[in-house]
Amino acid sequence: METLQLQQIITPKNSDNMSVIESTLNNIFPISSEENKIVGIKRTLGDSAQTLSDEQLESIITDFQYLIDTWLCEFEKNVFGGKTLIELLSEK
């Protein structure tokens, strides 16, 4: 009887339980956010990322983030009359 109850506690019945387990494991065995980002990028890129080092991937991520931020800022200024969305929101 006790084994069955323990098994019910350990076995996740839904995604909420799984997220609690993952959260607990992450608290016990923390992984840096940079490491998580690299792992996620490698998973997303698949085989094409296997030939790149972590440093190369981080450099590529940084370059793309800069371009995205710059282009978004320019777009917002074009749409909102020379101001970014943050500038407009801070005025109110």
Side-chain angles (χ1 to χ4, degrees), residues 56-92:
Q56 289 173 317
L57 280 174
E58 193 161 335
S59 176
I60 291 169
I61 292 167
T62 302
D63 290 345
F64 271 103
Q65 189 61 55
Y66 172 77
L67 289 172
I68 291 166
D69 292 341
T70 304
W71 291 334
L72 184 58
C73 185
E74 283 183 38
F75 174 76
E76 288 175 348
K77 286 182 178 182
N78 285 335
V79 170
F80 300 119
K83 294 185 178 183
T84 65
L85 188 57
I86 291 175
E87 291 171 339
L88 287 174
L89 291 174
S90 66
E91 289 178 357
K92 295 182 178 189

Side-chain angles (χ1 to χ4, degrees), residues 11-25:
T11 305
K13 292 184 180 178
N14 58 36
S15 62
D16 291 339
N17 288 340
M18 194 58 154
S19 64
V20 169
I21 291 171
E22 288 177 4
S23 175
T24 303
L25 287 174

Side-chain angles (χ1 to χ4, degrees), residues 12-59:
K13 292 184 180 178
N14 58 36
S15 62
D16 291 339
N17 288 340
M18 194 58 154
S19 64
V20 169
I21 291 171
E22 288 177 4
S23 175
T24 303
L25 287 174
N26 286 336
N27 286 335
I28 295 171
F29 306 106
I31 298 174
S32 72
S33 62
E34 286 299 316
E35 190 173 338
N36 280 338
K37 189 188 308 182
I38 296 296
V39 169
I41 294 295
K42 282 186 175 184
R43 190 177 315 125
T44 302
L45 292 176
D47 292 337
S48 59
Q50 300 307 317
T51 59
L52 300 171
S53 70
D54 289 355
E55 292 80 20
Q56 289 173 317
L57 280 174
E58 193 161 335
S59 176

